[in-house]
Amino acid sequence: MLTLALPKGRLAEESIELMVSKGWLEGKPDPDSKELIYRDPKGRVRILLVRSQDVATYVEQNAADAGIVGWDVLKEGGYDLLLPLDLGIGKCRLSVAAPNGWNLSSGKRKVRVATKYPNLAREFFLSKGISCEVIKLYGSIELAPLVGLSDCIVDLVSTGSTLRANHLKEIETILESTARLVFNRSSLYSKRQESGEFLDSFVAFEKRL
């Protein structure tokens, strides 16, 4: 049995639908269940539902054989993982956003940036020759510039509706993100047959994108 780590929420739903369509799952887990471990009746896959930022850690530390995780998380964390196949689901973008009237050339000597992506944020502003102070937050990032905690934010954007609702606008896209299938080195060796079958089915899917 393969153990697969999935991020809770919309990406988990898309990932599970994909695995059902490819025959790896008999059906979807009960959406009302509070259990964080789901064992499929077919006995081929066990699913761990964890925070999106924790998926790569579970895989890297061998608590899961494989995982489906956003490219933004992988780039931020620099994890030692293998075979990041682009599954083409969970599409979004990591962007700089700010209140109307603010832009990257507003002239401040140091920009205050609220984000849960400190490494990618620093790298972006450094590439622009802009000094920045990163304020790490874990949720409600859009609130920070509204109350004077930061000048701008770096956060994931899908439709942009949350930004617009909070009177923020996108300034620039840092990277486009989609979900990637990743394995740890140990599982590709110790569970060679199961990993190979699972990987082959998703390689075929990737080629159809």
Side-chain angles (χ1 to χ4, degrees):
M1 177 181 288
L2 284 177
T3 298
L4 184 71
L6 297 181
K8 297 177 184 177
R10 181 173 62 89
L11 184 52
E13 294 173 3
E14 291 185 58
S15 302
I16 288 169
E17 287 178 0
L18 181 58
M19 285 191 288
V20 169
S21 71
K22 299 181 76 60
W24 283 97
L25 294 177
E26 186 173 278
K28 299 178 182 179
D30 181 357
D32 296 323
S33 174
K34 301 299 182 182
E35 292 184 336
L36 299 177
I37 299 178
Y38 172 73
R39 292 174 176 83
D40 185 68
K42 287 185 175 182
R44 302 176 73 191
V45 176
R46 180 177 70 155
I47 293 175
L48 310 181
L49 294 172
V50 302
R51 285 181 57 190
S52 60
Q53 265 72 20
D54 293 336
V55 171
T57 300
Y58 272 79
V59 180
E60 185 179 47
Q61 297 299 320
N62 298 324
D65 302 306
I68 294 178
V69 59
W71 183 237
D72 54 293
V73 174
L74 294 173
K75 290 288 286 184
E76 172 68 21
Y79 300 96
D80 181 21
L81 297 169
L82 295 179
L83 301 170
L85 300 181
D86 188 348
L87 299 178
I89 60 176
K91 292 181 179 180
C92 57
R93 57 195 179 275
L94 186 69
S95 295
V96 180
N100 291 326
W102 190 92
N103 56 59
L104 292 174
S105 57
S106 288
K108 296 192 70 170
R109 292 182 61 187
K110 179 176 284 190
V111 174
R112 292 175 302 157
V113 186
T115 186
K116 56 184 175 184
Y117 298 91
N119 295 328
L120 290 173
R122 288 193 188 96
E123 183 181 307
F124 171 80
F125 281 97
L126 180 62
S127 71
K128 298 287 185 180
I130 299 173
S131 177
C132 73
E133 174 190 351
V134 171
I135 301 166
K136 188 168 184 179
L137 297 177
Y138 295 92
S140 301
I141 309 295
E142 296 84 2
L143 182 61
L146 303 182
V147 298
L149 180 61
S150 69
D151 299 302
C152 63
I153 66 173
V154 168
D155 201 16
L156 288 182
V157 179
S158 181
T159 64
S161 59
T162 303
L163 293 180
R164 291 190 293 272
N166 289 282
H167 310 291
L168 303 176
K169 65 175 183 178
E170 282 187 78
I171 303 296
E172 189 167 333
T173 297
I174 295 176
L175 63 83
E176 300 284 345
S177 181
T178 49
R180 311 298 169 104
L181 173 64
V182 295
F183 278 81
N184 65 53
R185 298 174 186 276
S186 175
S187 294
L188 277 179
Y189 178 78
S190 62
K191 297 183 178 181
R192 190 174 304 172
Q193 181 175 342
E194 300 98 317
S195 297
E197 292 174 357
F198 191 78
L199 183 58
D200 285 346
S201 65
F202 282 94
V203 168
F205 173 80
E206 184 195 32
K207 289 178 179 178
R208 292 199 300 271
L209 293 177

